[in-house]
Amino acid sequence: MSNKYVIAIDQGTTSSRAIVFDHAGEVVSVGQKEHEQIFPAAGWVEHNPIEIWDNVREVIGTALAKENLTRHDIEVVGITNQRETTVVWDKHTGEPVYNAIVWQDTRTQDIVDALSAEGGIERYKDRVGLPLATYFAGTKIKWILENVDGARERAEAGDLLFGTTDTWVLWNLTGGPEGGVHTTDVTNASRTLFMNLETLQWDEQILADFGVPASMLPAIKSSSEVYGTVASNQLLREVPVAGILGDQQAATFGQAAFGAGTAKNTYGTGCFLIFNTGQEIVSSSNGLITTLAYKLGDAAPVYALEGSIAVAGSLVQWLRDNIGMIASAPEIEELASHVEDNGGVYIVPAFSGLFAPYWRSDARGAIVGLTRFADKHHIARAALESTAFQTREVLDAVNADAEVPLTELKVDGGMVANEHLMQFQADILGVPVVRPKVTETTALGAAYAAGLAVGFWKDLGELEANWSEDKRWEPVMGAEERERSLRLWKKAVTRTFDWVDEDTKA
Ligand SMILES: Nc1ncnc2c1ncn2[C@@H]1O[C@H](COP(=O)(O)OP(=O)(O)O)[C@@H](O)[C@H]1O
Ligand SMILES: O=P(O)(O)OC[C@H](O)CO
């Protein structure tokens, strides 16, 4: 081992981070910068890809500078990313043809409706593991081709490239128009609606149905191999880039959830529970999606079931930015602690419809159970509780699909700093919730994938040994109370259905 460290780039929904890790998996240095959330219309969410790339370069510089590191201290680069968020750009100039359309964006509902007219939303589920939904990248590519002037012609002429933000960062990092590597990994490819889960190749028939030219799509590689080296005009020049994992899969890897039957739940902008099913492709009968967990070089792929929850920490952001109820996200904990319970208030944050296990794009957010008694403390509490209830519903789905119930849940992500939420989560699940010492599991997972490819770490056993428990919350709520509040939550969920119709679209 010539160099001491691995750097991971975590291109997330709210910010980009660069984190330097040592061989023990400990954080050595962090650079982080938020980017603008652009909301051009109700249901539309965009990011500026140029801002994202500028921020990625800046946070790499910050992380190195803080500890006086240079590229010579860094063995390898790993990339992890918000998944599904779609960038289309000109391969000759590197100019995006449109802003990045973010995973939460619901503008492609008409495309989903048209495609599902034949075969319903599960039309492609057997092949790709996903229902047709606005969430996935394929619908967003189609929207860009149909709505950006000249995009279809340029794509058909072979001038445009598509990528999720892993690919956008990799292409720019490795030279952009001058030889940039146009590649993604199996985990990101599995979020497009275009990758066949068995062959791990793009499905030509689905591409034809969507009208998307194959020439736009990146090569699909494993999650852990050398894709290229950083270009000569970058700070990390000549360092190999050797790991890519979508952020939720990266967190699974960083939590050392390697065996079939292991799981983790990440509480960030959204909340995503991933359950490792090993080499088996399990099709859910309970509203989960089937996805890739990871693939290490030439080894067989590892699959997973996933419960995707669109809104978790972003509800806290919404209370901060749109309502002005709090000045910072952590303040919600103090506010919620003023009351013993939610006062009968439930918030169902169906801002982008509801993802797992409902997949109801016609749902929109609701606050129910309001009386003159309810105040901001109850609202704060209900906001936090909504994340815990949504997690309970996806855990129930996992347990129903897997038949062997999970006996504890490993957690990570920005919201797990919230002790109140973690206790309530254990109460509502009825199983312990366990937080590891390193909660930057997303970046750690990408670092691990990259480090394994170049021998910085030798095997999964070495990574497992790095994992250690920080804190555990045991359930204390009685079963009757748990089931009563769950019934009320489910009643609240039904109140959000059927909201989107011709009137709301007008
Ligand atoms: N103490 C807290 N209590 C509740 N929510 C929090 C707290 N701290 C951060 N958050 C929420 O966590 C999210 C940030 O988590 P992070 O894992 O960085 O997200 P992402 O990777 O999606 O960008 C934000 O949505 C924020 O509102
Ligand atoms: O940026 P995060 O952590 O909210 O993750 C976003 C997911 O990858 C979306 O599928």
Side-chain angles (χ1 to χ4, degrees):
M1 202 193 310
S2 50
N3 300 316
K4 286 187 293 209
Y5 305 119
V6 173
I7 194 165
I9 297 164
D10 176 1
Q11 200 304 293
T13 309
T14 48
S15 71
S16 301
R17 278 182 271 228
I19 304 189
V20 177
F21 291 96
D22 64 15
H23 193 258
E26 302 278 353
V27 174
V28 172
S29 186
V30 182
Q32 176 168 15
K33 192 163 184 192
E34 288 203 9
H35 51 267
E36 189 187 355
Q37 306 294 316
I38 304 164
F39 305 111
W44 292 32
V45 189
E46 299 177 0
H47 295 156
N48 176 350
I50 300 290
E51 182 189 7
I52 283 183
W53 169 234
D54 285 347
N55 288 0
V56 165
R57 276 190 305 173
E58 185 179 327
V59 297
I60 291 171
T62 312
L64 294 178
K66 270 188 186 167
E67 292 297 320
N68 285 322
L69 302 173
T70 73
R71 67 192 173 98
H72 299 292
D73 298 302
I74 305 293
E75 181 88 3
V76 69
V77 185
I79 300 174
T80 179
N81 58 297
Q82 53 168 327
R83 306 162 305 168
E84 302 95 14
T85 296
T86 295
V87 189
V88 175
W89 69 94
D90 186 308
K91 72 176 180 192
H92 309 292
T93 64
E95 279 294 315
V97 303
Y98 192 77
N99 270 339
I101 302 184
V102 177
W103 57 274
Q104 301 146 317
D105 190 294
T106 58
R107 80 184 66 185
T108 57
Q109 189 57 49
D110 288 346
I111 292 175
V112 167
D113 291 343
L115 285 162
S116 54
E118 191 184 318
I121 63 167
E122 302 213 331
R123 178 173 176 183
Y124 302 115
K125 190 160 172 259
D126 283 354
R127 276 181 274 172
V128 302
L130 313 174
L132 277 163
T134 60
Y135 178 27
F136 302 111
T139 69
K140 302 176 199 290
I141 306 174
K142 185 169 167 64
W143 189 92
I144 289 175
L145 294 182
E146 287 172 358
N147 290 279
V148 175
D149 265 357
R152 176 162 299 286
E153 293 71 26
R154 288 163 73 193
E156 279 167 4
D159 293 332
L160 300 187
L161 301 178
F162 151 76
T164 36
T165 63
D166 56 317
T167 304
W168 172 243
V169 169
L170 176 72
W171 187 81
N172 280 293
L173 201 57
T174 53
E178 279 87 49
V181 175
H182 188 225
T183 285
T184 192
D185 89 306
V186 290
T187 66
N188 278 293
S190 78
R191 322 295 298 193
T192 55
L193 281 163
F194 297 159
M195 190 187 77
N196 183 299
L197 285 175
E198 278 178 26
T199 63
L200 306 181
Q201 299 297 320
W202 302 122
D203 184 303
E204 284 177 19
Q205 183 56 55
I206 302 179
L207 290 179
D209 291 352
F210 274 70
V212 169
S215 61
M216 296 178 74
L217 303 181
I220 305 174
K221 301 247 171 102
S222 80
S223 318
S224 177
E225 63 180 272
V226 177
Y227 312 108
T229 50
V230 177
S232 57
N233 61 346
Q234 304 294 324
L235 273 182
L236 291 170
R237 63 182 172 277
E238 290 166 20
V239 180
V241 188
I244 302 179
L245 284 162
D247 58 8
Q248 302 309 320
Q249 286 86 344
T252 312
F253 208 67
Q255 285 267 26
F258 302 132
T262 55
K264 67 87 213 185
N265 198 29
T266 302
Y267 300 74
T269 309
C271 188
F272 301 86
L273 196 155
I274 289 196
F275 178 80
N276 184 324
T277 61
Q279 264 124 55
E280 203 185 338
I281 303 178
V282 178
S283 179
S284 174
S285 315
N286 296 285
L288 303 173
I289 62 179
T290 307
T291 196
L292 264 294
Y294 55 85
K295 175 171 161 44
L296 302 178
D298 294 333
V302 174
Y303 294 90
L305 285 169
E306 175 178 314
S308 326
I309 295 166
V311 177
S314 53
L315 177 58
V316 178
Q317 286 172 333
W318 181 80
L319 290 174
R320 184 192 65 189
D321 302 338
N322 296 41
I323 306 298
M325 210 174 86
I326 45 177
S328 72
E331 267 181 40
I332 196 165
E333 186 160 10
E334 203 273 324
L335 211 55
S337 69
H338 282 259
V339 284
E340 285 298 303
D341 58 34
N342 64 14
V345 178
Y346 289 79
I347 305 182
V348 185
F351 296 162
S352 304
L354 286 169
F355 290 3
Y358 296 101
W359 299 105
R360 291 289 297 243
S361 55
D362 61 339
R364 284 298 177 269
I367 305 180
V368 299
L370 290 176
T371 61
R372 277 299 295 271
F373 172 69
D375 63 21
K376 63 182 178 185
H377 305 108
H378 299 112
I379 300 279
R381 219 177 151 108
L384 292 176
E385 291 185 358
S386 72
T387 291
F389 284 122
Q390 292 183 95
T391 296
R392 162 73 194 249
E393 293 212 78
V394 296
L395 191 78
D396 284 349
V398 165
N399 285 340
D401 278 327
E403 285 167 9
V404 181
L406 273 177
T407 52
E408 62 176 39
L409 188 63
K410 284 180 168 179
V411 299
D412 53 54
M415 288 183 97
V416 303
N418 192 312
E419 306 254 341
H420 172 94
L421 171 61
M422 293 298 101
Q423 182 56 56
F424 188 74
Q425 183 68 89
D427 285 341
I428 284 302
L429 295 179
V431 297
V433 166
V434 184
R435 185 173 71 190
K437 281 220 169 79
V438 177
T439 52
E440 292 289 0
T441 50
T442 299
L444 182 60
Y448 280 166
L452 279 174
V454 297
F456 184 85
W457 287 288
K458 67 176 192 309
D459 56 26
L460 297 183
E462 207 172 48
L463 308 182
E464 254 162 356
N466 282 347
W467 192 93
S468 64
E469 183 174 317
D470 170 47
K471 188 157 180 186
R472 167 179 294 261
W473 288 268
E474 298 286 343
V476 290
M477 185 184 274
E480 206 172 302
E481 174 59 8
R482 174 184 310 129
E483 294 314 312
R484 188 186 72 87
S485 39
L486 191 65
R487 281 196 300 279
L488 284 166
W489 162 259
K490 288 188 175 173
K491 185 152 78 169
V493 169
T494 62
R495 301 295 194 262
T496 69
F497 294 164
D498 296 320
W499 185 256
V500 176
D501 60 13
E502 287 315 309
D503 287 337
T504 57
K505 284 182 190 163

